[in-house]
Amino acid sequence: KSNQKVIQKHSLISPTSKGDKILLHFINQSGVKITTSVTEGASLLEVVINKNLDISGFGACEGTLACSTCHLIFDENVYKNLEPIADEELDMLDLAYGLTKTSRLGCQVCVQKWMDGMTVRVPRDVKDLRNVKESAENQ
Amino acid sequence: MNMRSLRAVKPLERFLSARCVGTRAHGVRKLSSTSGSYPLVCIVGGGPAGFYTAQHLLKSHPDIHVDIYERLPIPFGLVRFGVAPDHPEVKNVINTFTQTAQHKHCCFFGNVNIGRDVSVKELQEAYHAVVLSYGAEANRRLGIPGEDLLGVYSAKDFVGWYNGVPCNKDLQPDLSSDTAVILGQGNVALDVARMLLSPLDILKKTDVTQPSLEALAASHVHKVLIVGRRGPLQMACTIKELREMVNLPGTKPDMVTAEFEGIAEALKELPRPRKRLTELLLKAAQGSAGSAQATRQWGFRFLRSPVEIRPSSDVTRTAGIRLAVNRLEGSGENAQAVPTGEVEDLQCGLVINSIGYRSLPIDATVPFDPHKAVIPNTVGRVEQVAGLYCSGWVKRGPTGVIATTMNDSFDTARALLQDIEAGLLKLSTKKLGSKAIVTLLEKRGVNSVSFLEWEKINAEEVKRGGRAGKPREKLLDVEEMIKIAKT
């Protein structure tokens, strides 16, 4: 599974590594902007969890591509520079509420230096709608 | 990085959080949960809805106390009993629920049957607010002749059987025939198909129960047909589950090409999720998946509704199913199935009804809509009953995944918190909370199980599973669970 590759990569990164600090802004489901400073390498899900950011119900499956609650919306210029999306991520992302053309799952996007200063958003009223009928009703 | 390690609760914290009022059964007699000033809420049902509602309440209000009552001695509901054994990642939410249960203002009471041991009215007298999150314990019936023949099971019972629901342990499903027909094409139907056809090498490393594993090892089922009323474009399952079928080792798809006429042409109009799902389905239908040597087959059959399950000549078991052939009126998600008058017979010895779960009324005093089988409510506030709320399947109907229920539960919690803020819950009224309920339980001879005691059951299951190379070996007997809890 591709997410296992991601997780293994992180175990090589020491938590006390002296990487450059990268500034990230998260806008939560209530529209509140949360700013945090991180080092390179962690996934955005790990950032939200480790920093205990106030985003409700984020990462229910703990980064194993079994839900879409870490759905994040990126700016276009960031989105197009992200690593390509695998089928497995797309399978879960397709079920996320409020899907946009610049959406990704936070557990599959790792912080890199060039992301310094970027803003990511959580959709208002995050939902993970795997029932097709429900998705249709909401569309 | 192991996400779970980020949330490990230190032993000392856990001890300090066991501040539940109680009898010796709870081990720790600390603060009473009677109130003068803080809201006392109880939740009926210890599954995802109950836990997510509790979680949101506890996070949002510094003084709120939440008690969770669960009928079984053990928590987690469908996360434990519904999610398929080969989907362990989906069960990771148990970690966040465990944290909630260990919160100093949260108390879990297992083995308490609300509606039988204690009434909802008694809960309302003891708490400022009551949230009903007890889910859907029944199933929709087919309503056709032969439904009660040997060899016909609801998906609820079949899933309950392989997942260790105590009341399903004696199901003994008849797996002696070659062909199984599953009615319904949602994710539960695909879970059942996968469990029937998965190689044992995969299943034996999961938390599927040992008796079920042995029964599946002896199963003769080699072909599984998953039947839906409507067409390929209305199929209710999602792509992850379909992909798992397509990639299932030792199997190959068996579909009817004619049922896919016109589907490829419709692709370009479809929204991306439905388009990708349909593309994968077409690929499977064209026979370019699975290996030619595979001995096990699975396939969808569309535009078919069950009209009768046919018995064997000695009338003791299922021998086949008669299906009405449909056509579609309209298109897209709202297309309707209309019978053509034609019928088709399929031979099979196993029929699984996977057309939906169904909630039941808990108590004569709680409003219930028997047609929709939900509690009438507005954003989780039960209609016409102040201080009563609902979340999860009993509120919305039995569809969606854990995360759908999560958001739904947050909505109910928000409504309850709004009502607290608006002064609608009469917090000045002194309530006795669990103190009152525990007194009633003791009088009535009910032995509740605490969260710490569940952890003893949990440890025993993990230990037994470890011996067999499984994540856990589930206990199947309520009496045994209680015995281990109380040692």
Side-chain angles (χ1 to χ4, degrees):
Chain A
K1 266 189 161 195
S2 60
N3 59 299
Q4 280 182 352
K5 194 168 137 204
V6 172
I7 288 165
Q8 274 170 28
K9 190 169 106 184
H10 296 159
S11 68
L12 298 175
I13 293 169
S14 145
T16 57
S17 80
K18 283 192 293 189
D20 289 331
K21 284 296 188 178
I22 297 152
L23 206 66
L24 299 177
H25 308 286
F26 290 82
I27 300 181
N28 78 2
Q29 65 279 358
S30 311
V32 174
K33 187 175 193 176
I34 305 160
T35 298
T36 188
S37 170
V38 299
T39 53
E40 206 179 19
S43 74
L44 291 176
L45 169 60
E46 286 162 346
V47 170
V48 171
I49 301 299
N50 289 355
K51 299 280 186 159
N52 204 21
L53 303 185
D54 182 18
I55 302 178
S56 286
F58 203 77
C61 77
E62 299 181 0
T64 55
L65 285 178
C67 76
S68 64
T69 61
C70 67
H71 170 208
L72 290 169
I73 302 168
F74 294 79
D75 292 332
E76 170 75 47
N77 57 326
V78 172
Y79 177 78
K80 64 182 191 233
N81 291 315
L82 296 175
E83 304 250 340
I85 187 169
D87 267 343
E88 275 174 338
E89 181 187 342
L90 210 44
D91 286 353
M92 299 317 298
L93 188 63
D94 267 355
L95 309 172
Y97 178 84
L99 190 64
T100 70
K101 290 195 165 71
T102 58
S103 288
R104 291 292 297 265
L105 293 182
C107 65
Q108 301 301 301
V109 176
C110 292
V111 179
Q112 299 187 308
K113 285 203 196 85
W114 62 265
M115 294 177 185
D116 188 25
M118 83 168 169
T119 300
V120 293
R121 318 183 261 124
V122 172
R124 293 298 199 106
D125 297 329
V126 168
K127 286 189 202 301
D128 171 0
L129 296 166
R130 287 180 62 180
N131 180 280
V132 171
K133 185 166 170 229
E134 272 182 44
S135 315
E137 280 168 13
N138 281 317
Q139 270 164 25
Chain B
M1 180 186 302
N2 182 350
M3 294 301 290
R4 230 162 299 184
S5 66
L6 298 173
R7 299 173 192 240
V9 181
K10 300 181 209 86
L12 180 60
E13 254 182 283
R14 277 160 57 160
F15 175 76
L16 289 176
S17 69
R19 279 182 207 165
C20 301
V21 166
T23 61
R24 252 164 252 128
H26 283 266
V28 179
R29 187 183 277 275
K30 292 267 182 179
L31 306 173
S32 118
S33 69
T34 58
S35 78
S37 52
Y38 47 78
L40 280 179
V41 177
C42 76
I43 297 180
V44 178
F51 273 96
Y52 273 128
T53 306
Q55 190 179 91
H56 199 81
L57 290 171
L58 291 162
K59 170 186 149 163
S60 311
H61 195 298
D63 303 317
I64 200 166
H65 281 61
V66 181
D67 293 333
I68 300 174
Y69 292 94
E70 162 58 43
R71 178 169 56 189
L72 285 172
I74 55 186
F76 308 136
L78 284 179
V79 181
R80 173 181 166 104
F81 292 119
V83 175
D86 58 354
H87 286 167
E89 328 75 33
V90 179
K91 303 189 198 199
N92 283 346
V93 287
I94 284 176
N95 299 325
T96 190
F97 295 163
T98 296
Q99 277 200 312
T100 297
Q102 292 168 342
H103 188 291
K104 65 178 192 251
H105 291 166
C106 185
C107 211
F108 173 82
F109 295 88
N111 200 38
V112 178
N113 185 323
I114 303 302
R116 189 193 68 193
D117 301 333
V118 173
S119 70
V120 173
K121 203 143 179 292
E122 284 166 333
L123 289 180
Q124 288 177 289
E125 279 159 24
Y127 292 90
H128 295 110
V130 175
V131 185
L132 300 169
S133 310
Y134 63 81
E137 68 198 82
N139 57 271
R140 288 180 64 202
R141 300 251 314 158
L142 295 166
I144 61 175
E147 181 159 14
D148 297 309
L149 281 171
L150 176 68
V152 184
Y153 311 96
S154 67
K156 169 189 83 74
D157 285 341
F158 192 79
V159 171
W161 169 73
Y162 66 63
N163 269 339
V165 175
C167 69
N168 293 132
K169 69 177 187 289
D170 298 321
L171 190 73
Q172 293 185 311
D174 183 348
L175 305 176
S176 62
S177 73
D178 177 74
T179 302
V181 166
I182 303 175
L183 299 166
Q185 296 176 331
N187 286 337
V188 176
L190 264 66
D191 280 354
V192 170
R194 213 171 57 249
M195 291 302 290
L196 284 170
L197 296 179
S198 277
L200 285 171
D201 279 345
I202 294 176
L203 291 183
K204 73 182 187 205
K205 296 184 198 136
T206 69
D207 65 6
V208 69
T209 72
Q210 194 58 28
S212 309
L213 185 62
E214 286 165 18
L216 289 166
S219 164
H220 289 261
V221 175
H222 278 79
K223 182 161 156 172
V224 176
L225 297 175
I226 307 164
V227 178
R229 285 174 307 148
R230 301 188 294 169
L233 295 177
Q234 289 76 38
M235 198 168 71
C237 64
T238 52
I239 194 170
K240 176 171 186 262
E241 282 71 16
L242 179 59
R243 210 182 280 288
E244 285 170 342
M245 287 310 300
V246 168
N247 294 336
L248 194 58
T251 69
K252 63 182 183 229
D254 156 37
M255 315 259 206
V256 175
T257 328
E259 293 186 345
F260 295 90
E261 255 173 66
I263 300 299
E265 292 73 23
L267 276 178
K268 52 187 182 299
E269 306 295 318
L270 300 171
R272 190 177 81 186
R274 176 60 76 182
K275 178 162 183 270
R276 292 180 71 239
L277 176 66
T278 310
E279 278 169 345
L280 182 59
L281 178 62
L282 279 175
K283 188 169 150 213
Q286 280 148 16
S288 52
S291 75
Q293 295 90 3
T295 52
R296 296 182 157 188
Q297 296 166 47
W298 62 277
F300 292 103
R301 294 292 183 272
F302 296 100
L303 297 169
R304 301 288 186 273
S305 293
V307 291
E308 186 189 343
I309 297 172
R310 321 201 81 200
S312 54
S313 44
D314 62 3
V315 202
T316 57
R317 51 190 53 236
T318 300
I321 187 167
R322 173 157 286 185
L323 303 169
V325 177
N326 299 324
R327 61 178 173 80
L328 278 186
E329 255 176 24
S331 64
E333 312 295 333
N334 296 316
Q336 305 269 348
V338 173
T340 59
E342 272 181 63
V343 292
E344 182 182 82
D345 286 341
L346 287 180
Q347 276 192 329
C348 61
L350 177 65
V351 175
I352 307 277
N353 158 14
S354 187
I355 63 172
Y357 285 67
R358 192 174 169 83
S359 292
L360 297 177
I362 187 170
D363 198 305
T365 64
V366 176
F368 192 79
D369 177 337
H371 178 63
K372 292 187 191 157
V374 292
I375 295 176
N377 71 92
T378 310
V379 201
R381 293 183 179 95
V382 175
E383 278 173 17
Q384 321 215 317
V385 186
L388 194 60
Y389 302 80
C390 55
S391 67
W393 281 7
V394 80
K395 166 189 172 194
R396 273 179 27 252
T399 60
V401 293
I402 292 171
T404 324
T405 290
M406 175 183 85
N407 285 288
D408 172 274
S409 301
F410 289 175
D411 286 344
T412 294
R414 271 190 279 268
L416 200 162
L417 291 163
Q418 277 167 17
D419 291 353
I420 289 177
E421 229 172 297
L424 298 172
L425 290 185
K426 304 202 188 90
L427 294 186
S428 53
T429 308
K430 178 170 172 172
K431 295 280 190 178
L432 293 177
S434 58
K435 195 158 187 277
I437 303 303
V438 166
T439 305
L440 288 175
L441 293 175
E442 282 176 349
K443 246 198 280 195
R444 296 168 186 176
V446 176
N447 207 357
S448 67
V449 173
S450 71
F451 200 79
L452 276 177
E453 289 171 333
W454 142 248
E455 287 178 332
K456 286 196 239 173
I457 298 170
N458 185 34
E460 179 62 24
E461 289 187 344
V462 170
K463 186 167 106 186
R464 294 187 189 186
R467 291 185 206 131
K470 298 162 82 172
R472 71 175 60 243
E473 186 58 56
K474 289 178 182 172
L475 290 172
L476 302 179
D477 188 78
V478 168
E479 296 309 321
E480 199 186 356
M481 289 175 191
I482 295 174
K483 183 158 154 270
I484 287 170
K486 303 298 178 184
T487 53

